[in-house]
Amino acid sequence: MLFSSMTFLYVFLPIVCTLYLISKKEFHNLILLIASIIFYAWGEPKYLSIMLLTILVNFFGAKFIDSFKSEGKNAKIPLILTICTNLGFLIYFKYFNFLIENFNGIFHSHIHLLNIVMPIGISFYIFQALAYVIDVYRDECKVQNDIYKLALYICLFPQLIAGPIIKYHDIAEQIDNRDINFDKVCLGVKRFIIGLSKKMLIANTMGVVADKIFVQDPSTFSHFTAWLGAIAYSFQLFFDFSGYSDMAIGLGLIFGFRFLENFNYPYISKSITEFWRRWHISLSTWFKEYVYFSLGGNRCSKLKTLRNLGIVFLLTGIWHGATWNFVIWGLWHGFFIILEKVINIKEFEQKYTKWLVKFFQHCYCILIFVIGWVMFRADNMGYAWKYLLNMFGILKVQSNKIFYAMPYYIDTFEIIIIIAAILCSVPLFNKMLEVKNKAAKIFINIWLLTLLILSTATIASNTYNPFIYFRF
């Protein structure tokens, strides 16, 4: 089920909210658990068993870890077995055919690919399950003896499909004890509307522009068009994913949960290091806490620290998908993270504070992540390479090969949306929901209601509008 669907907005969510708000506190977790199972099974009932099996594996895995620790045994054994089982699910459904394809390519074998369809959200709920068992092993949280509460943590519907990735130690207290009040529910509804409008009004509009361009051979459009496609996709991806995160955080507030922020205006960054502190924060902190620190972090030699960073960004690329595009995209970001570490970007920023230097730093960062998004969007690296050559004027494009003029790709409305995307990418409106002035509050509420009506109208006119990160 999609957040951006009429069924969810005007049937599922009102029913769940009504049942939740009128029921006693002791039934809240049960209502959310049943709602989460229905939400996931709505589109993919046959893959519900995989998620339920994940819950069982991690429930008993954590119990064994806790038991081994209390008896003075080596708890690494059940930890490793549980981690391997989780990764086994992920590798089979997400990477098995990719591994076979590459094996066939290297050894010229003819092993047949399997007809495997990846369950929606598996990358997210597997990472949450891993966070739980590792937290138990590290004594950062107590083992959960109620399987229904653990199930709620893993499959809580507001963030089940596309994050943010919630670490168990951040939410354990809230599963047992949380409060709901009128102000929190209102704030949650407003945050949800903002996320919905990001998705429907900005991301989907930018997606139309990007799709028109990326579907064509790069030799059939101009260099300006290539840049337009890359910029449009950059906005599409940001507003699509941050919009989902806003909706998830808003829904969490409605049900009494406080999820950590997942985006903090990443497009204002002045370095790739800063970019990853602002982009998909839940994923980057997950890798930092459970991979980077486990490898030694920066508590070892400089060479090993750089190695650890390289491994983290290699895995970040692999996490996003089973193609070489994502692997190279991860390494691309990792290269610049390592470069900034070598030149000590923090010291550089402190030394050079003039606005002109900051401007060039910002331009550098934009250039790096936009190039990265081309790799992210392209179907294969051959297409990505050709597209990038076009962007930088290296690919020779003959005028008689250009199929469409610029008005085909972008019209006046889409230009207005690009301007809106630019304005919403910077923290001009970040305190909008915190205003105290009554007149300003009324204006903001009217504006949010207008956005909801416009978003609903857009949903009604589109048959299918999935979120980009559903495929991860």
Side-chain angles (χ1 to χ4, degrees), residues 399-412:
S399 57
N400 61 345
K401 276 191 172 183
I402 297 177
F403 292 157
Y404 301 104
M406 188 54 62
Y408 169 77
Y409 299 109
I410 189 166
D411 57 23
T412 304

Side-chain angles (χ1 to χ4, degrees), residues 429-448:
F429 312 107
N430 59 329
K431 302 294 183 183
M432 183 177 68
L433 299 183
E434 299 174 17
V435 296
K436 304 296 182 184
N437 182 277
K438 284 188 178 181
K441 271 188 174 181
I442 292 170
F443 175 79
I444 289 168
N445 289 339
I446 293 171
W447 174 242
L448 289 172

